[in-house]
Amino acid sequence: MNQVVLVTGASSGLGKSIAFHLHKLGYTVYGTSRNPEQYSETFPFTLVQLDVTKKDSITQLIQTLKEKEHRIDVLINNAGVGITGPVEETSLDAMRANFETNFFGPLAMIQAVLPIMRKHTDGAIINITSIAGYMGLPFRGAYSASKGALNIISEALRMEIAAQGIRVMTLAPGDYATDIASRRYHEAVIENSPYQNTYQESLNTMDAHVDSGNDPIEIALKVAALLRKKTPKPHYVVGSFLQKFSITLKKILPQKAYEKLLKNHYKL
Ligand SMILES: NC(=O)c1ccc[n+]([C@@H]2O[C@H](COP(=O)([O-])OP(=O)(O)OC[C@H]3O[C@@H](n4cnc5c(N)ncnc54)[C@H](OP(=O)(O)O)[C@@H]3O)[C@@H](O)[C@H]2O)c1
């Protein structure tokens, strides 16, 4: 198999697992990191520099791939960061920065890759979103919004581009054991804030979920299976039964009943 795959954010977590697995399957894999030189371990795939929030960095990488491979068949838009905080107290700059990585970054990658991808009519783009993007989670509003926005714009792109033979889909993970919690932007808990106790309690719940999350290999296996699909669906979800069921519940329960469930879960 000589398909060229670009996996953003492959230095750790889900991206690393995806890149390892696709390499093992015989794909030519380029994984990315903002600072590839900081990793002393040897990756079996090529780890290249990329910051999805920086235009020059994207241009440079695409140029390198053009010269070396003359094609990009698959883009896995995986790079992403977490953010927590009460909506009222989270700085807009922090929210904008999160959207730069989680929303505009993947879009910039898509815009840069498509002109090369469409030269071969079998391209695929998988945007890694999140189950959190299917609902506004308390104290994760900006994260939910960034992933929800990526979900929705993927639907538009998918229809626009279908006739060109390029498959677009999203894959929303539940909780997986990665370093994402330790790298999250946390808006500080403000003393005497009306959210002090509920926010702190929610932070504890969130961290416990990720720490006890599933093995990232599940996501890698799913990505490989999706790449084999000739006519994929727009959206896929991977996670525990309860996490997946939360999306179904949102569709079928009256809105207030669903909100009550979430509030109970987050002790609000
Ligand atoms: N883990 C979960 O439970 C979970 C659940 C739902 C969705 N997700 C989503 O899955 C994706 C991967 O998350 P993860 O859990 O594997 O997190 P992670 O271990 O923290 O990995 C994040 C990756 O993104 C890269 N990255 C961060 N900012 C970047 C930027 N500006 N430009 C380019 N690369 C950047 C990091 O690479 P460098 O630091 O080396 O640049 C790293 O490789 C994210 O989109 C996340 O939102 C994760």
Side-chain angles (χ1 to χ4, degrees):
M1 190 188 299
N2 63 357
Q3 285 210 314
V4 176
V5 182
L6 177 57
V7 184
T8 67
S11 60
S12 73
L14 305 184
K16 183 174 168 182
S17 188
I18 295 166
F20 259 85
H21 188 62
L22 295 183
H23 167 80
K24 214 167 84 186
L25 293 179
Y27 289 92
T28 301
V29 178
Y30 286 82
T32 79
S33 163
R34 281 164 297 178
N35 303 296
E37 66 291 342
Q38 90 180 21
Y39 297 94
S40 51
E41 72 179 279
T42 321
F43 292 86
F45 52 88
T46 313
L47 191 68
V48 286
Q49 201 282 335
L50 173 73
D51 185 333
V52 297
T53 68
K54 302 218 159 51
K55 194 162 188 265
D56 289 353
S57 169
I58 297 175
T59 308
Q60 167 100 50
L61 171 61
I62 299 302
Q63 190 53 36
T64 305
L65 286 182
K66 249 188 196 167
E67 283 163 17
K68 274 185 146 169
E69 304 290 348
H70 312 288
R71 60 191 294 157
I72 300 173
D73 300 284
V74 176
L75 168 65
I76 315 285
N77 257 327
N78 165 78
V81 283
I83 177 169
T84 67
V87 171
E88 180 184 346
E89 294 176 359
T90 307
S91 83
L92 291 183
D93 282 347
M95 292 201 204
R96 283 193 188 102
N98 184 271
F99 266 71
E100 285 298 334
T101 305
N102 290 3
F103 180 68
F104 293 110
L107 293 186
M109 290 305 298
I110 289 167
Q111 291 182 349
V113 155
L114 279 179
I116 311 179
M117 195 176 263
R118 81 162 52 83
K119 289 189 181 143
H120 307 268
T121 51
D122 193 26
I125 296 172
I126 301 182
N127 291 328
I128 304 292
T129 57
S130 173
I131 289 181
Y134 283 85
M135 59 209 72
L137 289 179
F139 304 111
R140 282 210 279 174
Y143 182 74
S144 284
S146 70
K147 294 295 187 176
L150 186 57
N151 235 18
I152 290 290
I153 206 164
S154 299
E155 291 179 358
L157 170 68
R158 177 182 156 93
M159 289 186 276
E160 287 167 8
I161 211 162
Q164 298 170 31
I166 294 173
R167 296 157 287 157
V168 177
M169 67 210 99
T170 69
L171 175 58
D175 289 324
Y176 283 85
T178 69
D179 287 340
I180 193 165
S182 64
R183 299 174 190 209
R184 260 189 204 129
Y185 172 86
H186 291 290
E187 196 61 65
V189 181
I190 301 172
E191 215 180 317
N192 298 325
S193 149
Y195 310 105
Q196 189 180 356
N197 294 336
T198 46
Y199 176 33
Q200 186 57 61
E201 182 99 35
S202 289
L203 282 179
N204 299 341
T205 311
M206 282 175 228
D207 290 349
H209 281 177
V210 172
D211 291 345
S212 63
N214 293 1
D215 189 328
I217 188 67
E218 283 181 16
I219 300 293
L221 293 170
K222 186 69 181 182
V223 165
L226 294 183
L227 292 181
R228 287 193 290 272
K229 286 189 188 291
K230 287 289 159 219
T231 54
K233 294 188 291 184
H235 304 295
Y236 293 89
V237 180
V238 185
S240 71
F241 171 76
L242 266 185
Q243 286 161 5
K244 288 192 284 189
F245 193 52
S246 67
I247 297 176
T248 312
L249 280 180
K250 185 169 186 191
K251 286 185 193 147
I252 59 177
L253 280 182
Q255 292 181 42
K256 284 187 191 168
Y258 185 74
E259 190 180 59
K260 199 167 173 197
L261 278 183
L262 274 187
K263 283 166 80 179
N264 282 344
H265 181 73
Y266 286 96
K267 303 184 182 73
L268 295 173

